[in-house]
Amino acid sequence: MPETPPNPAALTPGQARALFRAGLRTPTAGWCAGWTQANLIAVPRAQAYDVLLFAQRNPGPCPVLDVTEPGETSARLFAGDLRTDLPGYVVYEDGEPVAWVADVRDHWRPDLVAFLIGCSFTFEDALREAGVPVRHVEQGRNVPMYRTDRMCRPAGGLAGPLVVSMRPVPAGLVADAVRVTSRYPAVHGAPVHIGDPAALGIADLDEPDFGDPVDVRAGEIPVFWACGVTPQAAVTHSRPKLAIGHAPGHMAITDARDSAFAVP
Amino acid sequence: MPETPPNPAALTPGQARALFRAGLRTPTAGWCAGWTQANLIAVPRAQAYDVLLFAQRNPGPCPVLDVTEPGETSARLFAGDLRTDLPGYVVYEDGEPVAWVADVRDHWRPDLVAFLIGCSFTFEDALREAGVPVRHVEQGRNVPMYRTDRMCRPAGGLAGPLVVSMRPVPAGLVADAVRVTSRYPAVHGAPVHIGDPAALGIADLDEPDFGDPVDVRAGEIPVFWACGVTPQAAVTHSRPKLAIGHAPGHMAITDARDSAFAVP
């Protein structure tokens, strides 16, 4: 496996994808500054309408950035190979994760449709520019993600809970965090919740369902954003025959600029 | 047929829909101030993925506000009956308009999925509040709409040209028109073109493809917005077996507020 380069923020998407294709497995927060990262969910064409309708009905967690034609292995926004150029995948059969792998060529089928879904890593540069700390990047960890007790609006055979990411924000900067991320509605936008994790049904911030826990310091408030792992939680909940997702936090690094998803 | 009421702007969506259900046929610009209007396109479930993907790939003309389950005759945003409560419909068979009617119950099928697509009438109150005239409302006409020579990005079996609506704007207010409508991305947002109609392949503003011509006065510039009739132009172009749309300008008046579709 290649080593993590000293300054992953400075890489181009093509350079990062080459490392992942060569086998590097790593969360991607902080990589390729200025380039948009995306969640992946791929399903057979027969289930693609349900996924697209689920996304339309749940635009907070599931903003669709791109959709492939069946069998395509690259996308308009992603010049690499969707089967090899992410730093981690999960393969689901009947809703169960059956493989956590760095390459899904053996699982790919010609009828698979891949959806690229917006990722909140996209607004993290803007948060830092506004002086809001991004703790998981500071700590060199994956972002913590949690299944909530809020159910998404179902679509066809797909239902499941909202998944959120969490960033601890100093109380005096929470308004800034809201203001900055509101400008990025296509990558989850403003927080869905600020404060008490119990209000989302989260029992313990130190036990995320995906990713790593991070330090929440005195005077900081946990702030929660909708997360593009939500379609994978729907797969777990609804148990379709086959689905392939990215490993949470191990994103598709696209050829689109973060600024393309900002509104004035 | 009922008469047009003296002040249609003051009606509630339910009152307007009752008039349409009773047979009133009229364009709806200026009706039910503050309530969102929407385009309708209904297709069999087998074609619904193509429509939803076409919309995802062409979000300017096709912002999806709501999608029904197959066979449903009302929607989350529309408490009325989608088959009777619009003031006009077009039924397409093999891409040909075979009926322009006030009631499509005879054509409805249990596998039809209805899409409600954002409509630029939604931002016309905001334009007027900003002092930008809305000529077709002033003149008591339907908005003029034109097929352009710009092709949409295709999806599955659906392809076709971008359709636009046109409002003449005094030169000194064009920037205001852009600024105000930019705040409504879910109902077509900012103009797609300002000025010379020939740049869109429009030969004569006095000959719209849908709706009525309006006066363009000295010192005014034609301003063009993406239009939710675009899916119907794709139906005409791609010739699916069956589709049902609203008669252009004769919209579904929903139970959602215009303000729900504004961004800060």
Side-chain angles (χ1 to χ4, degrees), chain A residues 45 48-50 52-53 56-57 64-69 76 113 115 153 156, chain B residues 45 48-50 52-53 56-57 64-69 76 113 115 153 156:
Chain A
R45 170 65 182 81
Y49 179 69
D50 286 357
L52 194 53
L53 187 60
Q56 193 277 328
R57 290 180 175 169
V64 179
L65 304 186
D66 208 352
V67 185
T68 65
E69 293 297 312
R76 197 176 170 96
V113 173
F115 297 81
R153 199 178 154 202
Chain B
R45 170 65 181 82
Y49 178 69
D50 287 357
L52 194 54
L53 187 60
Q56 193 277 329
R57 290 181 175 170
V64 178
L65 304 186
D66 208 353
V67 184
T68 65
E69 294 296 314
R76 195 174 170 97
V113 173
F115 297 81
R153 198 178 154 201

Side-chain angles (χ1 to χ4, degrees), chain A residues 235-258:
Chain A
V235 164
T236 302
H237 187 272
S238 302
R239 306 184 163 274
K241 288 296 266 185
L242 174 67
I244 297 176
H246 67 292
H250 300 59
M251 314 308 293
I253 300 185
T254 76
D255 300 290
R257 298 292 295 177
D258 292 349

Side-chain angles (χ1 to χ4, degrees), chain B residues 237-260:
Chain B
H237 187 272
S238 303
R239 304 182 164 276
K241 288 296 265 185
L242 174 67
I244 297 176
H246 68 290
H250 300 60
M251 314 309 293
I253 300 184
T254 76
D255 300 291
R257 298 292 294 176
D258 292 348
S259 55

Side-chain angles (χ1 to χ4, degrees), chain B residues 186-208:
Chain B
V187 291
H188 307 307
V192 292
H193 180 66
I194 294 168
D196 185 14
L200 294 174
I202 299 169
D204 185 352
L205 288 180
D206 286 333
E207 305 254 338

